[in-house]
Amino acid sequence: MNILVIGSGGREHVFTERLHKSPKCDKLFVAPGNAGTSTIAENIDLKPTDFEGIANFCQSEKIDMVIVGPEAPLVEGIADYFNAKEELKDIHVVGPSKAGAELEGSKDFSKAFMQRHSIPTAAYATFTKDQLDEGLKYLRSIIGPYVLKADGLAAGKGVIICETLEQAEKSLIEMLKDAKFGDASSKVVIEEFLKGIELSVFVLTDGENYKILPEAKDYKRIGEGDTGLNTGGMGAISPVHFANKSFMDKVESKIIKPTIDGLAKEQIDYKGFIFIGLMNVGGEPYVIEYNVRMGDPETQVVLPRVTSDLVPLFESLKSKSLNKQKLVVEDNIAATVVLVAGGYPEAYKKGNSISGLKASDNYTIYQAGTARQDGKIVTAGGRVLAITGKGSHLQEALNKAYEGANSVCWDDIYYRKDIGQDLLALS
Ligand SMILES: Nc1ncnc2c1ncn2[C@@H]1O[C@H](COP(=O)(O)OP(=O)(O)O)[C@@H](O)[C@H]1O
Ligand SMILES: [Mg+2]
C-alpha cells in the first residue's frame, strides 16, 4: 500500500516512522515533511491545504491512503474533496469530513454539539459581532474568572482568560468589534471557568466504533513552572496517574460514547482521531475542547506506547470495522521534551546547524522544524525537535528524554527542564 502523510511537524515524523516500519507499507511520502521524515520517506513539496496538488500527486503515485496530521486541511474539507471526485474517492483519507472537523473549527458548534448530547462541559453563551451589548451584559451577570474564546481557528491563541470584569469587557470588545483574531473572533464563546487538572484523551474512530488510545498531559507555556507565553507545546507525558480506571470509565461513558453516538446520530462522517481536552474537576471529567486530529507533542508520547501496526487500524476505518482490530498499549511511561529555537514563540532565527542527531537505544529523536541545507541539518522552525524517552517509571522516562536533549545542540537551543516535575510531585 502506498501512503501519503500530510504535515511537517514532530507528530508527522512519528506517523511516518510508524508507517515506515509497517510490513503493509510500500511507498511512503510526506507533504511537505521535514529533514527527519526525508530519511525514511520521500518529502513532497506541497502545502497541506493545496488539495488539487495533493490529489494530482495521489493519482500519479497511486496513493491508497492519506493520513492528515494538522487541522487546517481537515477544517477546509480535504476528506470531502476526495470523496466528491470519482477518480479520488477510493483513496482512503484518515481524517474527518468537513462537518466533523467543525468540532475543532468552531467552538460554538462544538459547545452546541455537547449540549445536544448531554456531554459534560462548562456552561456557555455565544455572541456575534452584532450582539456586543448582550455579550457585555452577560459578562456582568456571571462571576470570574472569565473565559473568552474566539469561535474559529486561531492557532492556539484564541482563548483569553481574564481575572477581572474590566479586562473581560475590554477583551470582548477587542475580539468582537476590533476583530482581534480576524474572522475567527467574529463570534465569541463565553464560558464558565473550570478549576481542576487538565488531561488529553485520544480516540480513533470509524464513526461507529472507537478505540481509546493512551491519555497524555502536555505543557503549553514557554517558561518553567508554566509561566510566560503559550506555545504549540513544550513537552508531554503519558500516561497520567490520575486517569485511573474509575476516572477513565467516566470519561468513556459520559464523554466518548455520547460523542461517537452523537456523530452517528447527526450523520456526520468521521473516520479519524478525536483529541478530547478534559478538565478533571474533583474527579469528574468536563470537556474543554475537541480537536479533530492528534496533538503535537502528545503524539510523541502516545504512539510510542501503542505497539499495534497502525496500517490495519487505519484501513479498518474505511469499512467501519475498527471493532475487529486490536489496539495494544505498552504498560510503561513515555516523556517527551520539545527543543525550540531561542526567542520562540516570538521571533527566532532559522538556519542554525544542529549537531548530535544520533540514534540511541535510550531515546528517540523526532524532528519538527528542521531542513537539509548544504548536506547539514539546520533549524527551520520554532519547535525544532521532540525527544522521547520511555521507562517503567516517570523518572526513568524523563532521564532518558533529557539525556537526548542534552546530547543535541545548536546555537540558541532552549527547552524546559521541568517537564513532568508536577506529576512526580503528585505521585
Ligand atoms: N472553561 C475553562 N475553564 C478553565 N480553563 C479553560 C477553560 N477553557 C479553556 N481553558 C484553558 O485555556 C486553554 C485553551 O483553551 P482551548 O479551549 O483548549 O482552546 P485552544 O486549544 O483552541 O486554544 C485550555 O487548555 C485551558 O487551560
Ligand atoms: Mg486546547
Side-chain angles (χ1 to χ4, degrees), residues 126-177:
T126 302
F127 301 94
T128 63
K129 264 197 289 222
D130 309 326
Q131 298 168 312
L132 178 59
D133 288 341
E134 286 100 311
L136 293 169
K137 218 159 132 192
Y138 180 78
L139 281 176
R140 287 169 204 139
S141 74
I142 58 175
I143 52 165
Y146 305 86
V147 181
L148 277 63
K149 299 188 174 183
D151 175 57
L153 291 186
K157 296 189 174 71
V159 173
I160 300 178
I161 299 182
C162 305
E163 289 299 324
T164 69
L165 177 61
E166 199 187 352
Q167 287 167 343
E169 289 178 335
K170 188 166 163 271
S171 297
L172 186 67
I173 294 167
E174 282 171 1
M175 288 167 92
L176 283 178
K177 196 160 154 259

Side-chain angles (χ1 to χ4, degrees), residues 61-118:
E61 288 296 332
K62 301 200 163 40
I63 297 294
D64 301 288
M65 187 152 79
V66 179
I67 319 294
V68 187
E71 63 276 19
L74 294 167
V75 172
E76 288 184 28
I78 190 166
D80 308 65
Y81 185 93
F82 274 72
N83 262 330
K85 292 204 163 74
E86 196 50 44
E87 66 278 18
L88 299 172
K89 72 177 185 356
D90 288 337
I91 300 171
H92 175 35
V93 176
V94 177
S97 63
K98 188 171 180 161
E102 279 296 274
L103 284 182
E104 176 166 2
S106 165
K107 301 252 186 229
D108 177 50
F109 173 87
S110 79
K111 294 296 282 190
F113 176 89
M114 288 184 253
Q115 209 163 50
R116 284 198 291 281
H117 302 289
S118 308

Side-chain angles (χ1 to χ4, degrees), residues 108-416:
D108 177 50
F109 173 87
S110 79
K111 294 296 282 190
F113 176 89
M114 288 184 253
Q115 209 163 50
R116 284 198 291 281
H117 302 289
S118 308
I119 295 165
T121 187
Y124 82 106
T126 302
F127 301 94
T128 63
K129 264 197 289 222
D130 309 326
Q131 298 168 312
L132 178 59
D133 288 341
E134 286 100 311
L136 293 169
K137 218 159 132 192
Y138 180 78
L139 281 176
R140 287 169 204 139
S141 74
I142 58 175
I143 52 165
Y146 305 86
V147 181
L148 277 63
K149 299 188 174 183
D151 175 57
L153 291 186
K157 296 189 174 71
V159 173
I160 300 178
I161 299 182
C162 305
E163 289 299 324
T164 69
L165 177 61
E166 199 187 352
Q167 287 167 343
E169 289 178 335
K170 188 166 163 271
S171 297
L172 186 67
I173 294 167
E174 282 171 1
M175 288 167 92
L176 283 178
K177 196 160 154 259
D178 310 335
K180 179 167 181 164
F181 301 107
D183 212 28
S185 66
S186 63
K187 256 190 205 173
V188 172
V189 171
I190 301 178
E191 252 183 46
E192 167 199 9
F193 182 83
L194 298 173
K195 203 167 162 37
I197 317 178
E198 283 185 70
L199 158 80
S200 302
V201 169
F202 301 90
V203 177
L204 182 66
T205 183
D206 59 17
E208 279 174 20
N209 310 287
Y210 62 84
K211 298 274 180 211
I212 305 175
L213 295 140
E215 76 285 353
K217 179 187 196 299
D218 76 331
Y219 294 80
K220 276 266 177 277
R221 303 293 192 96
I222 188 73
E224 286 168 21
D226 275 319
T227 54
L229 293 173
N230 248 322
T231 70
M234 297 296 292
I237 306 286
S238 174
V240 182
H241 67 89
F242 65 77
N244 53 27
K245 173 138 183 15
S246 104
F247 184 77
M248 289 307 287
D249 282 348
K250 287 183 198 170
V251 172
E252 181 165 12
S253 64
K254 296 181 179 189
I255 294 167
I256 296 172
K257 258 182 197 295
T259 299
I260 307 300
D261 291 348
L263 289 168
K265 252 185 230 151
E266 297 190 22
Q267 297 188 319
I268 293 173
D269 185 25
Y270 204 113
K271 296 183 176 74
F273 292 99
I274 308 181
F275 163 140
I276 309 176
L278 294 177
M279 190 75 88
N280 175 347
V281 184
E284 288 299 318
Y286 286 80
V287 178
I288 292 179
E289 66 160 349
Y290 292 111
N291 289 336
V292 297
R293 44 154 176 106
M294 285 298 290
D296 187 338
E298 291 93 331
T299 305
Q300 289 88 313
V301 289
V302 171
L303 288 188
R305 297 187 54 224
V306 174
T307 54
S308 317
D309 186 352
L310 298 181
V311 175
L313 279 164
F314 290 161
E315 269 185 300
S316 77
L317 303 182
K318 199 173 165 80
S319 52
K320 295 203 176 191
S321 56
L322 181 60
N323 52 328
K324 299 201 181 98
Q325 294 294 319
K326 251 192 128 152
L327 183 109
V328 183
V329 175
E330 279 178 356
D331 186 19
N332 57 6
I333 297 198
T336 201
V337 179
V338 176
L339 283 55
V340 306
Y344 172 84
E346 298 185 283
Y348 55 83
K349 239 181 85 186
K350 292 182 186 177
N352 279 321
S353 167
I354 305 172
S355 63
L357 285 172
K358 268 204 213 89
S360 160
D361 288 340
N362 279 351
Y363 52 83
T364 307
I365 302 175
Y366 296 111
Q367 299 191 27
T370 62
R372 272 178 200 284
Q373 195 178 291
D374 310 323
K376 287 184 302 195
I377 295 182
V378 300
T379 63
R383 293 193 295 162
V384 178
L385 306 173
I387 303 191
T388 300
K390 294 198 283 189
S392 56
H393 54 272
L394 178 54
Q395 189 63 62
E396 186 189 348
L398 287 168
N399 288 348
K400 288 179 176 172
Y402 277 110
E403 182 193 327
N406 294 332
S407 65
V408 295
C409 196
W410 63 86
D411 257 1
D412 56 3
I413 187 171
Y414 168 77
Y415 51 92
R416 277 177 61 168

